Amino acid sequence: MNGFLRETAADLLDRYGDLRGLTVILPNRRAGLFFVQHLGQLIDKAQWMPAVKTIEDLFFELSGQRPTDQLTLIFELYKVYQELQPDPEPFDRFYYWGEMILKDFNDVDQFLVNPNKIYQLLSEIKEIESDLSFLTDGQIELIKQFWKAFENEGRGHQDKFLRFWQLLLPLYERFNKELDVLGMAYSGKLYRKVAERLDELEKPNQRYVFVGFNAFTGTEEQLIKRFISEFEAEIYWDLDAYYTQNKQQEAGLFFRDYRKDKVFGPTFPKELPQYIQAKPPKIKVYVTPLKVNQANLIGKVLDEMPSNEALEETVVILPDEQLLFPVMHQLPEQIDKVNVTMGYPVRNAPVYAFLEAVLELQRYVKSDDGKVSFYHQAIKELLSSSYLKAGKEEFSASLLANIQEQNQVYIPASKLAEGGSLFELIFKKLASKDIFPYLEQLMMALVERLGDDKLQRSYLYQCHKQLVRLKEIFHSQGHVKISLEFFIRLFRQIFREVRLPFEGEPLAGLQVMGVLESRNLDFKRVIIANMNEGSFPPSGAMNSLIPFNVRKAFGLPVQEQNDAIYAYTFYRLLHRAQEVHLIYSTSSDQGKVGEKSRYIQQLMAELDKWIEEEVVFVPVDVKPAEPITIQKTPEISYLLSKYVLQEDGTSVTAFSPSALSVWLDCRLKFYFQYLANIREKDKVEEEISAAVFGNLAHYSLEYLYKGFIQRKRRNVIIKDDFKDLENYVSPSIEKAIRDFYHLEEDADTSLSGQLAIVRDVLQKYIFELLELDKSSAPIELISLEKDMIYRSAVPIEVNGDHYAVALRGIIDRVDKQNGVVRLIDYKSGKDIKSFPSISSLFDREDSKRNKAAMQTLIYGLLYQAKFPENKQALKPAIFNLREIFNEDFNPYLQIKEGRSKGEELENYLDHKEEFEENLKKLLGEIFDQTVPFDQTDDLEKCKYCPYKEICGR
């Protein structure tokens, strides 16, 4: 197709014939490559080609120098800053706004701004802003509400603030002198150097042609005007009347100004081209719900291309490079050639994420008595990487399981090193001086792991190349101290800009490129993804220390100019296109709802009759979640049969009191938890939750009393025994912690942080509990927690059959006091001990149903089943650890209706018949084929349910 570059090449050939005397200057190398291709296609005989350069090449050639890399420049800037600032901050704090200062210096020079004037003005503005002497007290108070620094920091802070702005001019002057001595320069300095010496330029022996420019910097404008007026240079403008003549169109902002210029004006064609209005392209706008859907849509559009059409005439523009790989994976099979003209950020590569995670690991290293350990979350992130667990899957899985089982927040380096050489290399404490050799060693180890994975090896090569560069610069700047924290931040900053350049045949196949790479290129079919406001055009204010109004007053670029450049880049893609496909998504990004680009809005207002819009749906069920009801099928009946006594008197499993409580709360939750066996995912508890605290209390009390029985060889505790028991409280708690976290006998159990606080709190509770027991002594201990599992079978009749349903339970403590058997349940919460009636314990509609009371009464049933000959009273009791300090503490259940005084439940056996009747009814429901597993209607119960996502509650 005839595009701008091809027509320009044809015109130059037609006018000059022999092109050896021409030098063609283009905005970028990509345009130059296509220009040379078009010339080659147009020439029918051997001849010299013109010199083809970029505007940047021309400036560097005329200055006789190339710019120094940015990191070195910032180091040199910091040296000068240290000389000028009496109390300079460290380099790691300076670096991030040092970049901003350097960018401002570059702009000041690129646009030929007088540095004395702009920085002097800036300093005076800041002085006026901080001088409140001319304000009344009321006005000052009002200002203080907005700027607390005046109120809190005092005059010293203001002075430092002002000194910084006053420093910018001397910093600029001294820095430039220092660069002259060192033979260094930033690009703006070189541009200014050329622009200020234009009078010294000798007439070149080549004729210069400037092709395809849209917006000049001040230095570029001066140079090109000089070449036009003095050296008969020419300009070929790539523009359209559609946006140039319409003052409302930001895309023509620069062209309108240049047409009025006495030097540039005559270079414009008398009749501006009218590609867009004369032959408007067919424009189709697509709306997708998710970003990733855009890749599928691009693949679909490409699949519909005619098979005989040249791939080179189609371009895919990706404003967001993260879509590159999704798009590449969705390309149709018939597209066998692709040229990618955009660098893919290394920061998006898996190998970079791994290196960053290794460095991040060092931020959470813990050293105690020379023993190094690492934070569990950082370890998990590294173990999720294929680089570390490849070939060590069993070790990695075992390590993760141990971390979970033992609830390890910090894991010893010695344990991690058991995984092999790579584990040993990664999990060690780093000193700042070892960072560079360590990372080089790590990268070499990764090379061996990557094998033939060329793409990942390419990423790693780019990382290594950048690391070597960073190392050389740091070594040349010996005065800068490198802390680990600083290196991690610098690592991210530097590698953020590193891109993997893709190699391919640039002039063949489907063209995939970024926005700015498309300048001067024309395509028959244009596909642009991410046509969202904030993506194309990009959003974000310009990073600069110079305020907007000052920048605008001095002719420095502001957001308005940036918007105009991107608008032009978009509209010029419409010049020769026949089809334009614009895709945007409605998904939110960083808290913002997806909004179509202003360019789409403009096209719809101006070219509506040529635009078609299509909403691409992804099937989503937006109806409210249907109630879930699971009927009792034969398969479910089989699962339930595991809870029934078989002919041999045994069962596969048995219901616990908790299971029965869950059935009353929500039948569906009962199904998920006890029949489908859907369990919550375990996680490392960094904080001591109420559940963990309760478990530690149970373990501690069990070991305390069990130890007593073993030492004394008796199970009766008298008052004189409690002094001895107090000596074993601390060892019992330590053993509880060791067992709860599955620690080995010789494992270090030195307690710190929350666990140390929990230990102290537990001691207070247990000592108080001992005082309570002492007042009740003598006490005969019958069983302690895991010593005895109580079992029973409850006969029921349902579905025309008889069943014996198995129950089991672990009673925290069973003892005998004054001829009464106490069934004691330890609780760490505030469980209420009163309830209105036995039947209320089984009432699922009662939001205040007393679950704890029901549980302890089931203990009565279980105990009596274990000892059927028992005639002694069975008295359920709840020892709330939080309440044992109360003077009126009473652990026994009370049957209490409303505000009545209530009656203490002295003996389970007195209520046995009524309780078991209600229990049989409950168990009958569980096995009743007509009663499904359905959801509770009480949504309060769903708030903390682990299955609420499944239910859609």
Side-chain angles (χ1 to χ4, degrees):
M1 63 178 291
N2 284 332
F4 167 73
L5 291 178
R6 187 179 183 87
E7 289 179 356
T8 302
D11 188 63
L12 288 173
L13 272 173
D14 183 55
R15 291 172 53 213
Y16 292 101
D18 183 3
L19 302 179
R20 100 172 75 182
L22 288 180
T23 295
V24 178
I25 307 295
L26 290 133
N28 56 34
R29 298 187 192 285
R30 177 80 175 157
L33 196 63
F34 273 82
F35 179 79
V36 171
Q37 180 203 31
H38 293 311
L39 273 177
Q41 293 170 348
L42 293 168
I43 292 171
D44 55 5
K45 60 182 179 180
Q47 67 163 284
W48 289 100
M49 294 289 282
V52 178
K53 302 176 184 178
T54 65
I55 188 72
E56 187 179 65
D57 291 334
L58 177 59
F59 269 96
F60 296 159
E61 182 183 302
L62 293 174
S63 68
Q65 193 178 353
R66 297 193 74 81
T68 310
D69 71 272
Q70 179 160 295
L71 188 56
T72 302
L73 288 169
I74 293 177
F75 270 115
E76 296 304 326
L77 182 64
Y78 180 62
K79 285 182 185 177
V80 177
Y81 177 77
Q82 283 180 302
E83 295 171 6
L84 295 172
Q85 178 66 281
D87 53 343
E89 49 268 70
F91 180 72
D92 59 330
R93 288 188 61 193
F94 172 85
Y95 180 87
Y96 302 98
W97 50 268
E99 276 188 315
M100 201 181 298
I101 293 173
L102 192 59
K103 182 182 178 299
D104 283 344
F105 286 176
N106 194 71
D107 284 347
V108 165
D109 286 344
Q110 281 269 20
F111 288 84
L112 297 172
V113 174
N114 186 323
N116 290 285
K117 287 185 178 180
I118 192 168
Y119 284 121
Q120 184 64 37
L121 176 63
L122 195 56
S123 173
E124 290 170 355
I125 288 172
K126 296 302 175 183
E127 187 169 1
I128 291 170
E129 287 178 356
S130 63
D131 181 14
L132 305 183
S133 61
F134 61 93
L135 298 174
T136 65
D137 291 342
Q139 290 171 324
I140 291 173
E141 282 303 314
L142 187 62
I143 289 173
K144 283 181 180 179
Q145 292 176 23
F146 294 94
W147 192 358
K148 290 293 183 184
F150 280 108
E151 189 173 10
N152 299 329
E153 301 292 347
R155 187 67 214 178
H157 179 72
Q158 294 177 47
D159 290 343
K160 188 173 181 180
F161 173 76
L162 277 175
R163 192 162 62 244
F164 171 78
W165 298 102
Q166 293 164 354
L167 196 72
L168 289 175
L169 179 56
L171 184 63
Y172 173 89
E173 294 173 340
R174 185 83 67 87
F175 178 55
N176 272 279
K177 287 179 182 177
E178 193 66 29
L179 292 182
D180 289 337
V181 172
L182 296 170
M184 297 178 180
Y186 50 90
S187 60
K189 180 177 174 65
L190 297 180
Y191 274 54
R192 187 172 201 131
K193 176 182 174 182
V194 171
E196 290 178 345
R197 298 179 182 177
L198 288 176
D199 292 340
E200 301 172 15
L201 281 182
E202 296 182 4
K203 185 174 182 178
N205 53 12
Q206 292 276 94
R207 188 181 183 93
Y208 279 76
V209 180
F210 295 88
V211 176
F213 287 90
N214 162 240
F216 300 121
T217 65
T219 49
E220 289 170 347
E221 185 173 334
Q222 293 273 22
L223 178 74
I224 295 172
K225 282 183 177 180
R226 176 76 177 181
F227 271 74
I228 292 172
S229 56
E230 300 295 329
F231 308 141
E232 300 177 339
E234 300 178 54
I235 296 185
Y236 282 81
W237 302 98
D238 185 9
L239 78 172
D240 190 270
Y242 177 76
Y243 50 79
T244 304
Q245 293 178 335
N246 184 350
K247 293 182 180 180
Q248 302 301 316
Q249 289 283 356
E250 55 189 348
L253 177 70
F254 295 102
F255 291 134
R256 288 192 289 273
D257 288 340
Y258 296 152
R259 286 184 77 196
K260 298 173 186 176
D261 187 87
K262 64 179 181 179
V263 177
F264 286 144
T267 65
F268 279 81
K270 291 182 180 179
E271 294 293 329
L272 297 182
Q274 297 193 20
Y275 304 114
I276 295 176
Q277 284 184 313
K279 290 185 177 180
K282 179 185 176 184
I283 302 171
K284 190 166 184 179
V285 177
Y286 304 85
V287 189
T288 65
L290 299 172
K291 270 189 175 183
V292 74
N293 296 142
Q294 299 180 81
N296 306 70
L297 189 51
I298 289 170
K300 180 183 175 184
V301 172
L302 292 172
D303 197 35
E304 294 171 356
M305 284 172 51
S307 57
N308 60 346
E309 186 177 301
L311 288 174
E312 295 79 19
E313 294 185 348
T314 296
V315 66
V316 176
I317 306 286
L318 300 178
D320 182 355
E321 66 268 328
Q322 290 188 2
L323 264 184
L324 176 60
F325 280 112
V327 167
M328 298 295 283
H329 285 300
Q330 294 297 329
L331 293 179
E333 291 183 5
Q334 66 267 25
I335 296 182
D336 55 353
K337 290 183 180 179
V338 181
N339 177 58
V340 178
T341 312
M342 59 189 299
Y344 189 73
V346 166
R347 70 175 183 273
N348 292 339
V351 70
Y352 169 76
F354 181 74
L355 291 172
E356 187 178 36
V358 170
L359 288 173
E360 193 70 17
L361 177 78
Q362 295 296 323
R363 299 178 67 179
Y364 302 100
V365 65
K366 183 179 177 184
S367 186
D368 190 8
D369 294 331
K371 295 180 180 178
V372 176
S373 54
F374 294 94
Y375 183 55
H376 73 98
Q377 198 60 47
I379 292 170
K380 287 179 180 177
E381 287 179 13
L382 282 167
L383 287 179
S384 67
S385 165
S386 59
Y387 305 114
L388 193 57
K389 69 180 181 183
K392 295 286 181 180
E393 287 82 1
E394 285 187 20
F395 175 79
S396 298
S398 172
L399 183 62
L400 288 171
N402 284 340
I403 291 172
Q404 194 65 58
E405 188 179 70
Q406 298 176 12
N407 204 69
Q408 291 178 291
V409 178
Y410 280 89
I411 296 86
S414 55
K415 179 68 177 175
L416 296 164
E418 294 174 8
S421 57
L422 188 58
F423 280 77
E424 188 176 359
L425 176 62
I426 288 169
F427 296 108
K428 70 179 191 180
K429 187 177 181 180
L430 276 183
S432 297
K433 62 182 178 61
D434 299 327
I435 293 175
F436 285 111
Y438 171 78
L439 283 177
E440 287 188 85
Q441 185 184 358
L442 178 59
M443 287 182 183
M444 295 308 296
L446 289 177
V447 167
E448 296 176 10
R449 292 248 170 170
L450 290 172
D452 296 328
D453 190 337
K454 292 183 180 180
L455 184 61
Q456 293 301 321
R457 287 171 72 96
S458 297
Y459 283 132
L460 193 58
Y461 170 72
Q462 292 296 328
C463 290
H464 185 265
K465 191 166 73 170
Q466 197 70 9
L467 182 73
V468 171
R469 170 178 165 264
L470 198 57
K471 177 183 173 183
E472 290 173 351
I473 292 172
F474 268 108
H475 283 180
S476 66
Q477 307 288 339
H479 65 290
V480 177
K481 293 182 181 179
I482 309 172
S483 68
L484 188 65
E485 187 73 23
F486 163 58
F487 183 84
I488 292 172
R489 292 206 300 266
L490 189 62
F491 179 87
R492 287 177 176 153
Q493 190 81 6
I494 300 294
F495 282 73
R496 183 186 63 189
E497 306 301 329
V498 179
R499 293 173 177 268
L500 177 64
F502 286 93
E503 295 180 3
E505 174 50 58
L507 304 174
L510 175 72
Q511 301 294 307
V512 180
M513 58 183 67
V515 173
L516 297 178
E517 286 82 7
S518 68
R519 284 177 294 182
N520 301 147
L521 307 181
D522 292 290
F523 301 93
K524 178 180 176 181
R525 179 177 292 99
V526 176
I527 305 169
I528 309 178
N530 286 105
M531 283 297 298
N532 283 79
E533 193 67 22
S535 182
F536 192 12
S539 62
M542 300 180 71
N543 289 327
S544 174
L545 290 171
I546 304 172
F548 170 83
N549 288 338
V550 177
R551 291 184 70 90
K552 191 169 179 68
F554 279 87
L556 291 174
V558 291
Q559 192 61 40
E560 183 184 356
Q561 277 80 24
N562 274 2
D563 289 344
I565 290 170
Y566 276 96
Y568 167 73
T569 308
F570 171 74
Y571 275 100
R572 74 149 314 281
L573 284 167
L574 310 182
H575 286 187
R576 321 290 176 110
Q578 295 177 21
E579 288 180 30
V580 177
H581 302 267
L582 307 176
I583 309 168
Y584 74 95
S585 70
T586 55
S587 63
S588 59
D589 187 20
Q590 297 179 351
K592 297 179 181 178
V593 178
E595 181 183 348
K596 69 177 72 170
S597 169
R598 73 185 75 163
Y599 303 147
I600 296 179
Q601 305 275 22
Q602 290 171 10
L603 290 177
M604 286 181 165
E606 298 161 5
L607 302 174
D608 184 54
K609 61 183 178 181
W610 291 291
I611 296 178
E612 178 186 348
E613 186 167 14
E614 177 183 340
V615 178
V616 181
F617 290 102
V618 173
V620 177
D621 188 2
V622 294
K623 295 185 295 181
E626 293 288 337
I628 301 175
T629 301
I630 298 175
Q631 301 296 334
K632 288 181 177 138
T633 61
E635 292 80 7
I636 290 176
S637 295
Y638 171 74
L639 294 175
L640 282 170
S641 70
K642 294 179 181 181
Y643 293 90
V644 176
L645 287 190
Q646 306 302 313
E647 291 181 2
D648 61 358
T650 63
S651 64
V652 176
T653 186
F655 288 126
S656 65
S658 298
L660 302 182
S661 208
V662 169
W663 169 264
L664 290 171
D665 279 346
C666 177
R667 298 185 186 97
L668 187 62
K669 181 179 180 181
F670 176 90
Y671 170 78
F672 288 145
Q673 191 166 342
Y674 296 101
L675 298 182
N677 282 320
I678 301 173
R679 302 293 183 187
E680 287 185 80
K681 187 176 180 181
D682 291 333
K683 63 179 181 179
V684 173
E685 295 277 2
E686 293 189 45
E687 297 183 354
I688 307 299
S689 64
V692 171
F693 181 84
N695 283 325
L696 291 175
H698 279 70
Y699 281 29
S700 301
L701 289 164
E702 180 188 359
Y703 297 148
L704 179 64
Y705 284 115
K706 191 182 290 182
F708 170 84
I709 294 171
Q710 291 170 351
R711 289 192 309 275
K712 302 292 185 179
R713 298 186 183 279
R714 56 183 166 86
N715 61 348
V716 176
I717 307 175
I718 60 176
K719 290 186 185 294
D720 291 341
D721 291 326
F722 284 92
K723 190 171 183 65
D724 177 62
L725 271 169
E726 289 176 359
N727 297 325
Y728 289 91
V729 171
S730 290
S732 298
I733 293 173
E734 183 173 334
K735 180 171 173 54
I737 291 170
R738 192 186 295 276
D739 283 9
F740 181 77
Y741 291 119
H742 304 278
L743 301 176
E744 297 173 3
E745 284 297 322
D746 58 347
D748 180 22
T749 57
S750 56
L751 303 182
S752 61
Q754 290 190 29
L755 210 52
I757 296 171
V758 166
R759 174 198 59 198
D760 296 341
V761 173
L762 273 175
Q763 283 182 346
K764 290 181 179 179
Y765 281 144
I766 293 173
F767 277 126
E768 188 65 24
L769 189 61
L770 287 177
E771 286 295 320
L772 199 66
D773 282 345
K774 184 178 179 180
S775 66
S776 305
I779 299 171
E780 180 186 347
L781 297 173
I782 297 174
S783 69
L784 292 167
E785 200 138 340
K786 294 188 286 294
D787 273 352
M788 189 180 295
I789 297 178
Y790 291 85
R791 298 180 184 274
S792 177
V794 178
I796 62 170
E797 183 179 351
V798 67
N799 306 324
D801 289 318
H802 292 273
Y803 301 94
V805 182
L807 297 183
R808 71 178 175 196
I810 297 174
I811 308 175
D812 293 342
R813 177 172 131 195
V814 180
D815 65 25
K816 190 183 295 184
Q817 182 201 38
N818 297 328
V820 175
V821 177
R822 297 193 303 175
L823 310 170
I824 297 173
D825 197 17
Y826 298 128
K827 296 289 187 183
S828 58
K830 293 183 177 180
D831 295 86
I832 297 171
K833 302 178 190 70
S834 64
F835 56 96
S837 64
I838 295 295
S839 60
S840 71
L841 301 178
F842 298 87
D843 184 1
R844 62 164 38 93
E845 303 301 326
D846 185 356
S847 61
K848 295 181 179 180
R849 185 175 63 82
N850 195 325
K851 301 176 186 179
M854 177 185 173
Q855 181 175 341
T856 52
L857 286 170
I858 290 176
Y859 291 160
L861 180 150
L862 292 170
Y863 183 87
Q864 193 64 25
K866 179 77 174 176
F867 304 103
E869 73 284 355
N870 172 63
K871 301 297 182 184
Q872 293 177 311
L874 301 180
K875 193 168 186 177
I878 297 174
F879 277 50
N880 304 84
L881 295 181
R882 291 188 183 184
E883 296 178 4
I884 58 176
F885 293 97
N886 298 345
E887 291 183 6
D888 58 347
F889 174 71
N890 181 1
Y892 304 114
L893 300 183
Q894 287 189 340
I895 299 177
K896 181 180 179 182
E897 185 74 49
R899 296 186 178 182
S900 64
K901 185 177 179 182
E903 178 186 348
E904 195 163 282
L905 196 153
E906 298 289 349
N907 186 1
Y908 163 76
L909 298 176
D910 295 340
H911 305 275
K912 179 176 182 294
E913 186 176 337
E914 182 183 1
F915 184 80
E916 290 186 9
E917 184 183 335
N918 279 277
L919 182 61
K920 288 177 181 180
K921 184 179 177 183
L922 183 156
L923 293 171
E925 270 190 5
I926 294 176
F927 284 85
D928 190 339
Q929 294 290 330
T930 64
V931 179
F933 299 100
D934 54 10
Q935 296 162 296
T936 178
D937 295 325
D938 186 355
L939 296 183
E940 284 296 313
K941 295 177 180 178
C942 301
K943 279 186 177 179
Y944 304 105
C945 177
Y947 308 105
K948 65 179 180 180
E949 298 298 331
I950 299 176
C951 295
R953 289 288 178 88

